[in-house]
Amino acid sequence: MCGIAGYLGFRKAYPIVINGLQRLEYRGYDSAGVVLLDGNEMSLYKTKGKVSDLKKIMKQKNIDGNLALGHTRWATHGVPNDENSHPHLSNSGKLVIVHNGIIENYDTIKKELIIRGYTFKSDTDTEVLINLIEEVKIKNKCKLGEAVQMALSNVVGAYAIAVFDISKPDEIIVAKLGSPIAIGIGENNSEFFVASDASPFIEYTRNAIYLEDEELAIIKLGKEIRVRKIQDNAIVEPDIHQLKLNLEQIEKGGYDHFMLKEIHEQPDAILDAYRGRLLASKGIIKMGSVDNNIARFLNANRIVIVACGTSWHAGLVAEYLFEDLARISVEVEYASEFRYRNPIINKNDVVIAISQSGETADTLAAIKLAKSKGAFVFGVCNVVGSSIARETDTGAYTHAGPEIGVASTKAFTTQITVLALMALKLGNLKGELSNSRYHHYIHEMSLIPGKVEEVLKMDTEIEKIAAIYKDAPNCLYLGRGFNFPVALEGALKLKEISYIHAEGYPAAEMKHGPIALIDEHMPVIVIATRKGHYDKVVSNIQEIKARHGKIIAIVTKGDTIVREMADHVIEIPETEEAFTPLLSTIPLQLLSYYIAVMRGCNVDQPRNLAKSVTVE
Ligand code: AGP
């Protein structure tokens, strides 16, 4: 997820764009850049680091120009460095682009362009796109808008782009598929603003167009914006919205907190986590970093997973995934314990390190220890170019986009998504998973974003349950199998943002002690999915009821048995049991969120916590 800010009009463009980028830094902050056009005079500056670093560079530069495009990056292809920062130029230096999204087939296009003599300075998919546009423009001798339209018809992936030709200083082309882009419209079309959300221009105009998917807009100073469908050039009459949100609400996407926004981003985040990897139409899973090291995985006697916190819970889910689907033995270790335990690492072990931030000190230390003992280490990280991403031998990014809320939500579900893809792929390659089962799982995974959307619709119902239990002094979370780690994760969510003491347990473990805690004041959240040792969980619920415990049950849609026993029931859609954590965790995230809000806690920055624990 990156931030785009652009301006075309009668004002000096730079101050508007640089301030806009600062407001968009929540969307990405590993590098930033800006291009200014003063007449036909173009100047482009970009740097690894934050917008504030770019501002320092610009202090000594000429900042004239009434057209500018700026970008603050969340790296997906190409590590954060100056060269990979946006904006990017075409080979001729005449076309300029900023891009938010992922071009899945950029590698194929790049190879084709290299054959035609194009060269590339960066590792980004974006530089490929601007040269594809240039190639189409030259070959068809067409206008920039037509060239962009034709080029995008050959592109697979997600994008929000703004492009201009330095020989046309009064025009910007904007296009969208999958990533957001808003266009602010000034009085009498005397100025235009382009941005990933309205925060960069809200004080200049409240008239905005939000492009829909597969739409392209031609912005020309002094003229009405023309919007077309990319595929068939059909004219679109865009809705001009009168914006009511204030700046803070816009940055949070209209949600009250980043955490709630990120909970609701999970359908898109899970889609981005498998985008370009889960090829449902072909019934295959493609993961370069696994394919290129396949022998290590297929010959692995054991996978050792090291992580902390929520990432450690994702590791526990992965243990069930790899053992059930790929029949590979897995050991999950707290990184902080692993690093001091003098662990045994065998030469055929594969170590997987899981970390959202890629900067967790204990996980980083565990990786170094494992490598010193000769292990091959695979990273599952969200932050491209982070310390853990660079320390591991290879890895797979989760592409969740920046997670601003301290409590991990979309990081957790995207980690599980990536790990599930790995387990499925290895299971099929090892012959443990038949082709038909493999294809069934692939199809089912492609349905998960929609099923997460369905669970998110329970938002209001869950808020009502939260109101009943917001003052509970303690809480117990129970789950079995794939959902035992989800019980742990649900408990962590509640305690870290509402400060209520909560514990997660395997449901069967209750009789070995925790049942002593059960009374009418103890809410017990039980995950009772239909294929998850259901009868056993039902017995556990009966034991809790017999002791007057309050039951909040997460059940499979259509459940009739638990419904008769529980005090509250939250339904999740049917799916493969291995994928239920992707759904069952959502109500637990929302429950924790609403309880914390009702308790007046600082949800996005809970007390005593940091987003990344970079010290021991
Ligand atoms: C969970 O909500 C917390 N944010 C915390 O437990 C976190 O998961 C842990 O610190 C690990 O962070 P990492 O994934 O960035 O390594």
Side-chain angles (χ1 to χ4, degrees):
M1 187 156 87
C2 304
I4 288 172
Y7 177 77
L8 171 62
F10 56 88
R11 302 174 211 259
K12 220 172 198 189
Y14 174 74
I16 297 170
V17 167
I18 200 74
N19 291 334
L21 289 181
Q22 282 186 304
R23 292 173 182 173
L24 293 171
E25 270 200 305
Y26 73 90
R27 302 179 58 84
Y29 36 76
D30 59 44
S31 55
V34 66
V35 60
L36 302 171
L37 195 59
D38 185 10
N40 295 106
E41 191 64 37
M42 178 182 75
S43 42
L44 187 150
Y45 307 95
K46 54 188 190 176
T47 179
K48 177 180 177 186
K50 295 193 176 302
V51 174
S52 54
D53 298 312
L54 177 63
K55 277 180 93 169
K56 283 189 199 117
I57 293 170
M58 297 303 287
K59 274 212 170 30
Q60 293 81 35
K61 304 292 183 189
N62 168 14
I63 56 169
D64 291 338
N66 71 323
L67 191 166
L69 291 181
H71 186 273
T72 179
R73 187 169 181 241
W74 179 264
T76 55
H77 291 82
V79 296
N81 61 23
D82 296 357
E83 267 319 320
N84 288 337
S85 314
H86 300 213
H88 287 283
L89 299 183
S90 62
N91 272 201
S92 70
K94 289 183 184 150
L95 305 186
V96 188
I97 191 172
V98 288
H99 167 224
N100 170 23
I102 296 176
I103 308 297
E104 294 170 30
N105 60 335
Y106 83 99
D107 211 26
T108 313
I109 298 169
K110 185 170 185 174
K111 289 187 176 102
E112 186 55 37
L113 289 171
I114 289 171
I115 292 168
R116 297 183 187 201
Y118 285 84
T119 57
F120 295 89
K121 296 191 180 111
S122 79
D123 308 323
T124 65
D125 52 349
T126 306
E127 192 185 9
V128 171
L129 181 54
I130 192 62
N131 280 302
L132 175 63
I133 293 167
E134 176 144 280
E135 171 67 5
V136 168
K137 188 169 186 295
I138 294 168
K139 224 170 102 186
N140 296 281
K141 297 184 179 59
C142 59
K143 292 182 178 165
L144 181 58
E146 293 164 300
V148 173
Q149 194 176 349
M150 285 189 267
L152 291 178
S153 305
N154 296 300
V155 155
V156 177
Y159 51 78
I161 59 170
V163 184
F164 70 79
D165 177 339
I166 63 170
S167 62
K168 291 274 179 65
D170 63 347
E171 182 183 77
I172 300 178
I173 309 296
V174 177
K176 179 218 191 287
L177 175 62
S179 300
I181 198 86
I183 303 171
I185 304 166
E187 290 267 311
N188 309 319
N189 299 314
S190 60
E191 57 182 354
F192 293 96
F193 305 79
V194 173
S196 301
D197 67 34
S199 56
F201 58 77
I202 192 74
E203 68 262 45
Y204 296 99
T205 177
R206 286 187 173 271
N207 299 326
I209 291 173
Y210 286 86
L211 281 190
E212 299 292 341
D213 277 350
E214 295 189 0
E215 287 185 352
L216 176 143
I218 297 167
I219 299 172
K220 222 168 173 56
L221 212 47
K223 296 250 174 54
E224 292 279 318
I225 293 181
R226 285 176 291 143
V227 180
R228 296 272 188 283
K229 291 303 278 178
I230 291 168
Q231 292 312 328
D232 58 11
N233 203 31
I235 292 175
V236 173
E237 286 307 326
D239 295 335
I240 298 182
H241 300 267
Q242 297 293 324
L243 297 176
K244 303 272 185 294
L245 296 172
N246 63 37
L247 190 52
E248 193 193 346
Q249 287 168 323
I250 289 167
E251 285 175 344
K252 291 171 183 157
Y255 292 100
D256 291 341
H257 299 93
F258 280 112
M259 181 180 175
L260 187 59
K261 175 171 174 272
E262 287 152 10
I263 289 171
H264 283 268
E265 279 177 344
Q266 288 178 109
D268 288 341
I270 291 169
L271 176 60
D272 284 341
Y274 70 60
R275 187 189 296 277
R277 293 167 169 159
L278 184 91
L279 309 181
S281 56
K282 294 180 184 157
I284 59 172
I285 291 171
K286 195 169 71 112
M287 296 180 80
S289 52
V290 174
D291 294 323
N292 297 338
N293 298 282
I294 199 63
R296 284 191 179 278
F297 284 100
L298 296 180
N299 300 328
N301 296 326
R302 181 178 66 148
I303 290 176
V304 178
I305 295 176
V306 293
C308 301
T310 289
S311 298
W312 185 78
H313 296 150
L316 285 178
V317 175
E319 177 175 22
Y320 286 84
L321 288 164
F322 282 113
E323 295 201 348
D324 183 48
L325 300 170
R327 309 307 293 154
I328 301 174
S329 166
V330 176
E331 197 182 303
V332 185
E333 297 268 1
Y334 278 117
S336 54
E337 286 300 305
F338 181 83
R339 66 179 290 196
Y340 290 117
R341 213 191 64 214
N342 190 19
I344 294 168
I345 291 285
N346 308 311
K347 69 177 175 44
N348 274 353
D349 284 349
V350 167
V351 173
I352 296 179
I354 306 172
S355 176
Q356 186 285 128
S357 62
E359 300 300 340
T360 300
D362 284 323
T363 309
L364 194 53
I367 292 162
K368 289 176 176 169
L369 175 65
K371 287 179 73 174
S372 70
K373 290 174 177 282
F376 166 74
V377 188
F378 186 95
V380 176
C381 288
N382 189 36
V383 180
V384 175
S386 56
S387 302
I388 288 174
R390 282 179 284 114
E391 187 61 36
T392 49
D393 294 301
T394 187
Y397 288 116
T398 52
H399 296 316
E403 187 175 67
I404 309 298
V406 165
S408 285
T409 50
K410 61 180 183 173
F412 181 62
T413 47
T414 53
Q415 287 165 349
I416 293 172
T417 301
V418 169
L419 293 157
L421 295 183
M422 293 172 69
L424 289 168
K425 183 181 178 66
L426 296 172
N428 181 248
L429 285 173
K430 287 168 61 90
E432 299 293 346
L433 204 55
S434 69
N435 284 340
S436 60
R437 287 293 292 153
Y438 184 49
H439 297 155
H440 165 75
Y441 274 107
I442 287 173
H443 175 67
E444 184 56 31
M445 177 60 86
S446 71
L447 303 177
I448 289 294
K451 293 186 176 182
V452 170
E453 282 293 4
E454 238 185 280
V455 181
L456 289 168
K457 289 194 179 96
M458 317 278 284
D459 199 327
T460 315
E461 257 183 81
I462 293 166
E463 187 174 10
K464 287 181 191 140
I465 297 172
I468 300 167
Y469 298 102
K470 65 179 175 59
D471 299 319
N474 299 287
C475 216
L476 201 53
Y477 288 72
L478 302 176
R480 284 181 183 250
F482 285 96
N483 282 294
F484 155 51
V486 178
L488 299 181
E489 173 59 14
L492 175 62
K493 285 285 114 14
L494 186 70
K495 63 185 134 182
E496 72 174 320
I497 61 172
S498 74
Y499 317 141
I500 291 174
H501 175 252
E503 288 188 81
Y505 271 96
E509 199 52 26
M510 198 182 52
K511 285 199 291 297
H512 301 277
I515 199 164
L517 294 172
I518 306 290
D519 61 18
E520 66 278 15
H521 306 297
M522 172 70 87
V524 184
I525 286 86
V526 187
I527 304 164
T529 49
R530 184 170 296 133
K531 299 172 197 159
H533 314 293
Y534 185 72
D535 296 343
K536 303 290 179 198
V537 176
V538 167
S539 323
N540 296 139
I541 291 174
Q542 284 162 338
E543 289 153 10
I544 295 163
K545 285 307 286 177
R547 291 153 181 87
H548 313 299
K550 296 286 182 247
I551 304 271
I552 302 166
I554 314 294
V555 299
T556 305
K557 201 169 182 175
D559 182 291
T560 51
I561 298 171
V562 171
R563 177 173 293 285
E564 294 308 311
M565 303 157 68
D567 297 272
H568 312 276
V569 165
I570 299 166
E571 292 191 331
I572 60 173
E574 176 106 38
T575 184
E576 281 297 330
E577 189 58 21
F579 295 165
T580 52
L582 293 169
L583 304 181
S584 59
T585 198
I586 308 294
L588 308 189
Q589 293 169 348
L590 289 169
L591 185 68
S592 308
Y593 168 79
Y594 284 117
I595 288 177
V597 168
M598 291 168 190
R599 292 168 64 93
C601 298
N602 182 340
V603 175
D604 283 333
Q605 281 135 9
R607 68 186 182 196
N608 312 336
L609 286 175
K611 183 60 189 168
S612 175
V613 184
T614 56
V615 293
E616 283 198 58

